[in-house]
Amino acid sequence: MSGARHSWREWLMLALVSLALFLPGFASLPPTDRDESRYVVTSHRMVDTGDIVDLRFQDQPRYLQPAGIYWAQAASASVFGRDAIWAYRIPSLLGALFAVLMTGWLGVYFFGRRAGIAAALLLAACFSLNFEARIAKIDAVLLASITAAQLALMRAYVEPKVGRWTSAAFWAALGVGLLVKGPLVILVSGTTIAALVIWDRKARWLLNLRPQWGPLLTLAIAVPWFIAIGVITDGAFYKRSLMRNFLGKVGTSEQGHKGPFGYHLALFIAAMWPASLLALRAVGFAWRERATPAIRFLLCWLIPSWIVFEFVATKLPHYVLPTYPAIALIAGAALFAPQVESKTRGWVFAFVCLIWLAMSAVIAALGPAILMREQHITDPVSIVLAIAAFAAACAALYLLWRKRFPALVGAMTLSALLVWTNLFAVVAPQLSGVWLSPRISAEARAVARCPNGRLITTPYSEPSLVFLYGWNR
């Protein structure tokens, strides 16, 4: 454990680089269907009605998650404007930024400055987090609460003694996580604790968490709303959210989102691109250093949660996002640790590098390919960005071979910046054939004659149109 801390310049650098990655397309990307628009319509209604307990999409109950994410989005919309889609995305942006900064803090504290900064940048650059940072959904905010809880838990496990504020942070993060996504935060921290206790065959370190009063803090944060919604809905919220939405996803796939065991592993090289290359490189290091308390904690954070997500019947690529800070931390630590050379492992990793490079080419080419397919447009800016992104990925491989690791992380971050700028800021706003709701809403407003009239569309029925035209019109 290094015990080091970020300087203010490093904090500023990580924040600015993260924002440079997350902001392109943040405001210009139209409301997406269907989950994002359902969230923002529910939050928009909360702003209009002032009802912060009962959750509704138009006049229909939306009893899928607790109210935390809607409170955050409604608060942001109240400040920045309830009709601007980007206002509802600010909690996701801040959640993603917080997760990156806390990952960097953990990395610097336990593995040193270079490893911590590398881990933070690898997380900031990855595909799944960049997508969630731009969408007014729950996952980036959930990741922030999980990362905060795991930060405090890791300190409680590794250090002989921690202060009351660290213990309080753990229980407060659990309370916030419960208000955001229900039991998922407890699943991640709970499986981490269980794995560590089984591995070590001791649990005395849990006293660092102040279990005498800590759970009361979690309950004080989460319970009032859960009681209120139970009373207002006569228990209907729990039947829908817990029995059908949460447990239902475990046993049966919803809305066709299914896959076999190993689904998340198969998609990993793309979902955590570009950091996936360094994560795969770190496998041997993680196994070799498994007796080190910090690495053991990260493995117990990663492996049990990942296995649970693989067993869940409903599958989407971002479901394993709560494990990504642990992966980034292991990758960052491995990057600046001595490597044991092996000819066999060298050949295997060379093959992995070729797959990663091919995936980089595909991801870099997505922007021009989508424009050509959907709009029959050849955009020179998009093509130049794609070529530059792939060139940066090639440079990253060269720098890895030359063992110039800080420059390697920089090249990967640059490649990701070019790709996400291309996809979200250049390509997405041009997809007029895909974004039908803005056009329909504009035409309907242009021909509307009665201010109290209602817009009815068939067979087109998308939540984004409800947000753009007005949830109560």
Side-chain angles (χ1 to χ4, degrees):
M1 185 176 73
S2 75
R5 296 287 197 278
H6 279 305
S7 70
W8 70 268
R9 292 182 180 85
E10 289 167 341
W11 282 110
L12 181 61
M13 181 274 291
L14 286 177
L16 292 177
V17 172
S18 298
L19 291 174
L21 286 159
F22 299 152
L23 284 178
F26 183 79
S28 59
L29 186 69
T32 60
D33 288 305
R34 296 186 173 101
D35 281 349
E36 179 185 36
S37 294
R38 287 174 178 147
Y39 278 104
V40 298
V41 169
T42 304
S43 299
H44 192 293
R45 182 187 180 279
M46 184 177 285
V47 175
D48 283 352
T49 64
D51 186 347
I52 64 171
V53 177
D54 198 12
L55 307 174
R56 291 183 176 270
F57 177 86
Q58 293 183 289
D59 59 349
Q60 298 298 313
R62 182 166 170 79
Y63 299 153
L64 301 179
Q65 302 92 12
I69 187 62
Y70 304 104
W71 290 349
Q73 291 181 358
S76 177
S78 297
V79 174
F80 297 105
R82 63 184 184 178
D83 295 326
I85 183 62
W86 61 266
Y88 297 87
R89 292 170 175 165
I90 286 178
S92 294
L93 176 69
L94 295 179
L97 180 61
F98 182 84
V100 169
L101 294 178
M102 291 303 97
T103 299
W105 190 97
L106 276 171
V108 170
Y109 189 77
F110 287 104
F111 304 112
R113 275 194 165 80
R114 295 193 300 173
I117 292 171
L121 291 175
L122 291 174
L123 179 64
C126 80
F127 172 73
S128 289
L129 186 59
N130 271 268
F131 182 78
E132 297 301 333
R134 291 171 168 84
I135 301 296
K137 285 171 53 189
I138 207 167
D139 298 280
V141 177
L142 175 65
L143 180 65
S145 65
I146 288 175
T147 306
Q150 294 296 91
L151 183 155
L153 189 61
M154 187 171 180
R155 291 195 63 186
Y157 174 72
V158 175
E159 299 178 28
K161 188 176 182 180
V162 296
R164 289 185 176 86
W165 285 109
T166 300
S167 306
F170 172 74
W171 297 106
L174 290 188
V176 172
L178 284 171
L179 277 175
V180 170
K181 188 65 173 178
L184 193 57
V185 64
I186 295 178
L187 184 151
V188 175
S189 293
T191 55
T192 303
I193 291 171
L196 289 168
V197 170
I198 293 170
W199 193 332
D200 294 336
R201 295 190 293 277
K202 62 181 180 181
R204 187 170 180 80
W205 62 273
L206 290 171
L207 295 176
N208 267 343
L209 297 174
R210 274 75 173 186
Q212 312 93 308
W213 54 262
L216 297 177
L217 178 58
T218 300
L219 294 175
I221 293 171
V223 162
W225 181 84
F226 281 102
I227 292 175
I229 193 66
V231 171
I232 288 175
T233 66
D234 195 24
F237 172 82
Y238 295 104
K239 293 177 184 177
R240 179 67 181 90
S241 66
L242 185 61
M243 302 307 297
R244 290 179 58 189
N245 186 50
F246 187 78
L247 295 179
K249 288 180 178 179
V250 175
T252 58
S253 61
E254 288 191 347
Q255 301 174 349
H257 302 311
K258 60 183 178 180
F261 187 90
Y263 168 96
H264 295 295
L265 189 61
L267 292 181
F268 174 72
I269 202 164
M272 202 177 177
W273 183 92
S276 50
L277 175 64
L278 298 183
L280 294 171
R281 177 183 180 272
V283 171
F285 163 83
W287 178 250
R288 189 174 71 248
E289 298 294 324
R290 64 191 183 278
T292 305
I295 296 297
R296 180 177 296 188
F297 180 91
L298 295 175
L299 290 173
C300 290
W301 175 354
L302 164 62
I303 296 173
S305 294
W306 192 289
I307 291 173
V308 169
F309 291 129
E310 290 285 14
F311 273 113
V312 170
T314 303
K315 289 185 171 67
L316 285 169
H318 67 267
Y319 279 10
V320 292
L321 186 59
T323 67
Y324 280 14
I327 298 173
L329 285 163
I330 293 173
L335 197 59
F336 296 98
Q339 291 290 310
V340 178
E341 298 298 333
S342 165
K343 184 176 290 187
T344 302
R345 195 184 70 184
W347 283 108
V348 171
F349 186 65
F351 180 67
V352 170
C353 287
L354 288 176
I355 295 175
W356 181 86
L357 190 62
M359 181 60 65
S360 300
V362 171
I363 292 174
L366 277 177
I370 291 172
L371 276 180
M372 179 59 71
R373 182 177 179 218
E374 298 295 333
Q375 300 297 127
H376 306 291
I377 295 173
T378 302
D379 188 329
V381 173
S382 181
I383 293 172
V384 169
L385 287 173
I387 293 171
F390 183 64
C394 293
L397 271 186
Y398 172 76
L399 292 166
L400 178 60
W401 175 63
R402 298 289 295 177
K403 294 182 169 43
R404 294 169 59 183
F405 298 135
L408 155 67
V409 175
M412 284 188 166
T413 305
L414 175 60
S415 182
L417 174 62
L418 294 168
V419 170
W420 311 142
T421 299
N422 196 3
L423 284 176
F424 295 113
V426 176
V427 173
Q430 297 187 59
L431 300 177
S432 57
V434 174
W435 312 118
L436 298 180
S437 292
R439 295 159 58 192
I440 295 172
S441 176
E443 291 293 333
R445 290 180 183 278
V447 300
R449 294 292 181 264
C450 176
N452 297 320
R454 291 188 176 270
L455 174 63
I456 299 174
T457 60
T458 183
Y460 186 83
S461 177
E462 294 294 346
S464 59
L465 182 57
V466 179
F467 171 71
L468 291 169
Y469 196 69
W471 69 271
N472 54 354
R473 296 184 64 188

